[in-house]
Amino acid sequence: MSESPYSVDKLTFAIGYSIIFLFVLIAVIFPANFTAMMEVVQTFLLNNTGWLTVFLSVCIVVFTLCIIASPIGSIRIGGRHAKPDFSLWRWFAISLCAGIGIGILFWGIGEPIYHLMQPPTDNLGIAPGSHQAAVFAISQSIMHWSVAQYCLYSICGVTFAVMCFNNNRPLSIIDCFAVIVPSRYFELSRCVVHTICLFSLCFAVISSMGSLIMMVSSMLSHLTGLPRSFMMDTLICVAGTGLFVISAISGLRRGMSFLSQQTTRLFIFLMFFVFLVGPTSFILTMGTEVFGYTLSSFFHNSSLMSTKFMDNPWSNSWLVVYMAFFFGYAPPIGLFLARLGKGRTVRQFLLMNIFAPTIFVYFWINTFGSVAIYFQWNNVMDVWGFVQSHGLESTVVAVLQTFPLSGVLIFLFIICTMTSFATLADPMTTVLATLSTKGLSINEEAPRRLKAVWGITAGVMALLLISTTGLSGLRGMAVFSGLFMMFITAGICVCIVKIGMEILERRRLAQ
């Protein structure tokens, strides 16, 4: 029997797993101290590096658009005669679901209401609850969840795709840095970079799992009248973990492909149902205003900071935190998306992975956000008051209960929440296993046992942390880890230029 071309990277796995285990152990034993420490770390990073996070995210958006328009955009991933492995529909479904998780499900109604009632008055002079605040609220929510996020994921993904398919490098984050890191430092760099990525990514999955537990348990509690309990959280955690671990073990072409397509269909059904049964004319009118406002204010509102009023918490509560989270996800999600790129040009890859999800996010948030604002303005329901008294998680259910067939609608929404989370956790678990492996090619799946180990670990740790520290501790860790990944993402941008220029030079010489 021939030896496997890849093997477990024991050193990176051991160091990364040990650090993560130590952090969780400290959090569980000293929850109050750990939460306080993470809040201090988060506040310090947001106040002192938030400007860099936002500035760099805007720069990467501009950089990505330049790559699309440049000669590098014409490079075909896998070579001139490479054929795509996935249809446009499957590619879109996987790309959409791999980056969404439960984000727009959780915030699709809640974030526009927050911005409507608590807009950044110091920055823009918008009156809370006004028409101007409503347009800003939906536009800003869409911007938070669309272009910048997908530019970060896509520029990483296309770099890894070109590196693996065109330069025949193994599938790993450090391998794209081979073009700029001296060979004598390569193995050390592998260990350091991949350990940081394991830490960052594992806590990103844990944070998402914590949000899932809180959201679903709150919805079930509101529906059934049963108090939220550790047993309810445990059952949700077991169901969610089991779903994404089975999907990850099944592989990209089976588990993730099937789950993402069904989840996308559920997304579309829920959105069109709410659009058709809800205030359709209001949604269309608001969407038209939001579209124009977003185009005219995109770069200004993408860098909306509180320079004059440094103690204004708006930017640190929203824009900076989002960008820190997205940087934390960027290289790992890019590593996963790279596998979908074969047979497409760099330009096609970037356009699909940026603008197709962005268009969907625009329609989703405009639909659900407009419904929430319509209810608030027309006294159908005091959505803002409900958020204040019952929490954001229960508000989603309360809004959906006003629609016909509300029981079926809420049931489908809960199912969609579970499957959508799984379609984010599946690729993250796959990447955790990939980073723990040496010599894995882009056409190979990471070892199943490593996927199971990382998936179960993330589920157990999320349950422990949500039961002891709540989401505040998880949020601090995500911001902390996102800072490291921000610098890695910036380095990846340098690599795509260097790799792309080398490929273009080889193509020129071959002609």
Side-chain angles (χ1 to χ4, degrees):
M1 181 181 294
S2 61
E3 186 178 353
S4 174
Y6 59 82
S7 60
V8 175
D9 189 346
K10 296 179 181 179
L11 180 61
T12 299
F13 175 82
I15 295 174
Y17 199 92
S18 299
I19 293 174
I20 293 166
F21 180 80
L22 181 62
F23 259 75
V24 174
L25 185 64
I26 293 172
V28 172
I29 297 176
F30 308 105
N33 294 335
F34 180 82
T35 301
M37 180 185 71
M38 285 295 103
E39 288 177 351
V40 169
V41 169
Q42 177 179 318
T43 301
F44 175 82
L45 291 176
L46 293 177
N47 288 338
N48 292 279
T49 67
W51 66 270
L52 179 60
T53 304
V54 173
F55 177 74
L56 192 57
S57 68
V58 174
C59 288
I60 291 177
V61 170
V62 176
F63 173 81
T64 306
L65 296 177
C66 290
I67 291 294
I68 291 172
S70 74
I72 293 175
S74 65
I75 295 173
R76 186 167 298 278
I77 299 170
R80 294 176 59 186
H81 304 292
K83 301 296 182 183
D85 290 332
F86 297 89
S87 66
L88 284 176
W89 163 250
R90 290 177 68 195
W91 185 19
F92 165 72
I94 296 172
S95 175
L96 173 69
C97 293
I100 281 184
I102 64 171
I104 62 172
L105 294 167
F106 192 84
W107 290 108
I109 289 175
E111 185 173 342
I113 280 293
Y114 269 100
H115 296 328
L116 174 72
M117 305 306 294
Q118 294 181 344
T121 54
D122 293 338
N123 305 71
L124 301 177
I126 298 175
S130 65
H131 172 259
Q132 189 180 6
V135 176
F136 167 81
I138 297 179
S139 172
Q140 195 69 22
S141 300
I142 291 169
M143 288 170 59
H144 285 164
W145 289 99
S146 58
V147 177
Q149 173 186 9
Y150 288 105
C151 279
L152 295 177
Y153 301 162
S154 301
I155 200 65
C156 292
V158 80
T159 305
F160 297 135
V162 172
M163 171 196 74
C164 294
F165 284 117
N166 295 70
N167 284 5
N168 297 315
R169 298 289 301 185
L171 181 63
S172 74
I173 290 176
I174 191 58
D175 271 275
C176 81
F177 287 92
V179 295
I180 59 175
V181 174
S183 58
R184 62 182 180 276
Y185 300 124
F186 189 75
E187 286 303 317
L188 176 62
S189 299
R190 174 195 296 278
C191 185
V192 173
V193 170
H194 283 192
T195 297
I196 292 172
C197 291
L198 288 176
F199 177 86
S200 174
L201 184 54
C202 190
F203 280 115
V205 177
I206 290 172
S207 180
S208 295
M209 173 63 84
S211 298
L212 174 79
I213 292 171
M214 290 194 66
M215 184 174 184
V216 175
S217 62
S218 296
M219 287 193 291
L220 290 176
S221 179
H222 183 77
L223 280 174
T224 62
L226 297 173
R228 186 183 162 198
S229 63
F230 179 76
M231 179 59 68
M232 183 183 291
D233 289 352
T234 302
L235 292 175
I236 295 168
C237 182
V238 170
T241 302
L243 184 61
F244 79 77
V245 169
I246 291 172
S247 177
I249 290 174
S250 300
L252 171 62
R253 296 176 185 276
R254 296 178 60 192
M256 180 62 181
S257 179
F258 173 79
L259 206 56
S260 62
Q261 289 182 77
Q262 307 315 313
T263 302
T264 301
R265 291 187 176 101
L266 260 180
F267 277 143
I268 293 171
F269 173 80
L270 290 170
M271 181 174 65
F272 270 96
F273 184 88
V274 171
F275 170 75
L276 294 173
V277 177
T280 305
S281 180
F282 182 86
I283 293 170
L284 291 171
T285 305
M286 181 63 75
T288 302
E289 284 196 88
V290 166
F291 181 75
Y293 177 83
T294 303
L295 290 181
S296 64
S297 61
F298 178 81
F299 285 105
H300 177 266
N301 287 4
S302 293
S303 54
L304 203 58
M305 303 291 287
S306 303
T307 306
K308 183 178 179 181
F309 303 92
M310 294 296 286
D311 57 346
N312 186 334
W314 188 89
S315 59
N316 281 357
S317 299
W318 295 102
L319 182 61
V320 178
V321 171
Y322 275 136
M323 292 305 109
F325 270 60
F326 298 150
F327 270 115
Y329 279 115
I333 288 184
L335 202 68
F336 180 82
L337 293 178
R339 302 170 68 193
L340 310 175
K342 183 181 177 183
R344 315 289 183 180
T345 65
V346 167
R347 185 173 296 115
Q348 290 170 338
F349 183 95
L350 292 174
L351 289 173
M352 169 61 87
N353 285 294
I354 295 170
F355 292 106
T358 291
I359 291 169
F360 176 84
V361 167
Y362 163 79
F363 283 113
W364 178 277
I365 292 183
N366 180 68
T367 299
F368 283 89
S370 294
V371 167
I373 291 172
Y374 179 87
F375 281 11
Q376 186 71 33
W377 278 354
N378 291 276
N379 298 317
V380 176
M381 172 186 171
D382 184 6
V383 182
W384 178 241
F386 203 93
V387 169
Q388 301 295 99
S389 60
H390 292 81
L392 181 60
E393 306 89 349
S394 300
T395 304
V396 176
V397 175
V399 170
L400 294 179
Q401 281 181 324
T402 64
F403 285 83
L405 302 174
S406 59
V408 175
L409 190 63
I410 293 170
F411 173 76
L412 291 177
F413 194 89
I414 292 175
I415 295 298
C416 190
T417 302
M418 296 290 289
T419 59
S420 185
F421 164 76
T423 58
L424 173 68
D426 173 330
M428 296 302 94
T429 303
T430 299
V431 172
L432 284 167
T434 300
L435 294 175
S436 305
T437 309
K438 281 185 177 180
L440 190 72
S441 78
I442 197 166
N443 294 312
E444 294 175 310
E445 290 282 348
R448 291 183 176 181
R449 65 183 184 279
L450 279 178
K451 292 181 182 181
V453 167
W454 280 116
I456 294 171
T457 296
V460 172
M461 290 183 174
L463 182 61
L464 290 174
L465 288 174
I466 204 69
S467 302
T468 53
T469 68
L471 280 179
S472 56
L474 294 175
R475 187 183 184 189
M477 286 185 289
V479 172
F480 176 67
S481 60
L483 181 65
F484 293 104
M485 302 297 273
M486 178 175 65
F487 294 109
I488 292 174
T489 304
I492 290 171
C493 291
V494 176
C495 294
I496 184 58
V497 174
K498 190 168 181 60
I499 294 171
M501 295 301 291
E502 290 177 355
I503 293 174
L504 289 175
E505 179 63 16
R506 291 202 302 264
R507 189 166 71 182
R508 185 187 70 81
L509 293 174
Q511 291 174 348

